[in-house]
Amino acid sequence: MAQKVNEVMTPVPVAVPPDASLVQVGDLMRQHGIGDVLVVHEGRLRGLVTDRDIVVRAVGVGKDMSTAVADICSTNMITVAPDADADAAVMLMRRHAVRRIPVVDGDRPIGMVSIGDLAVQRDERSALADISAEPPNR
């Protein structure tokens, strides 16, 4: 039987309101050892910001680190339902060239599924699974 997204996702994703500063978001990434944070307003998914977004869309163009995350986050997101097959998440990642996808129930985020989560689930002996299972850099 095919695995479902909710069996491989990371539950309870880290989220911030749209007015959170880039410093706050970066600190959360450091604390949790993650490279992505959801932007949520009134419980609804409004955006996704990655460590790369901060570097390319903020640092790279000289934005102040007090800039609100809403000013640089991606708002055109690909999402997946928790009861979707994990294979569907893989196909979405391939089709849209993304490494992580928010898992939503309606428009409310409940998890995050990453290429690393799927690598561990599919072949725990693969190089990507080994890298994904390592503790984060601090």
Side-chain angles (χ1 to χ4, degrees):
M1 188 166 154
Q3 279 195 303
K4 300 294 183 186
V5 168
N6 62 3
E7 296 175 278
V8 297
M9 73 179 191
T10 300
V12 192
V14 176
V16 296
D19 62 350
S21 74
L22 299 180
V23 169
Q24 291 169 311
V25 172
D27 186 46
L28 285 170
M29 288 178 177
R30 182 189 54 76
Q31 286 177 38
H32 295 277
I34 56 175
D36 55 87
V37 172
L38 297 179
V39 180
V40 176
H41 180 68
E42 296 180 355
R44 292 180 166 80
L45 181 62
R46 297 294 183 223
L48 170 70
V49 66
T50 67
D51 45 7
R52 186 174 192 281
D53 291 333
I54 292 172
V55 171
V56 172
R57 295 180 183 168
V59 174
V61 296
K63 287 194 184 265
D64 187 272
M65 290 298 101
S66 63
T67 298
V69 70
D71 292 343
I72 69 150
C73 70
S74 298
T75 56
N76 187 16
M77 295 163 294
I78 306 305
T79 61
V80 67
D83 60 349
D85 286 340
D87 289 341
V90 171
M91 289 190 317
L92 285 169
M93 287 178 181
R94 282 185 175 150
R95 183 178 312 131
H96 297 282
V98 295
R99 294 179 180 98
R100 51 187 69 92
I101 301 176
V103 181
V104 296
D105 184 3
D107 59 359
R108 299 192 181 273
I110 62 166
M112 182 73 74
V113 63
S114 72
I115 195 168
D117 295 330
L118 294 164
V120 170
Q121 174 262 327
R122 290 175 174 274
D123 182 2
E124 61 190 32
R125 293 170 293 154
S126 72
L128 183 55
D130 287 346
I131 293 166
S132 298
E134 286 296 312
N137 295 334
R138 298 277 176 182

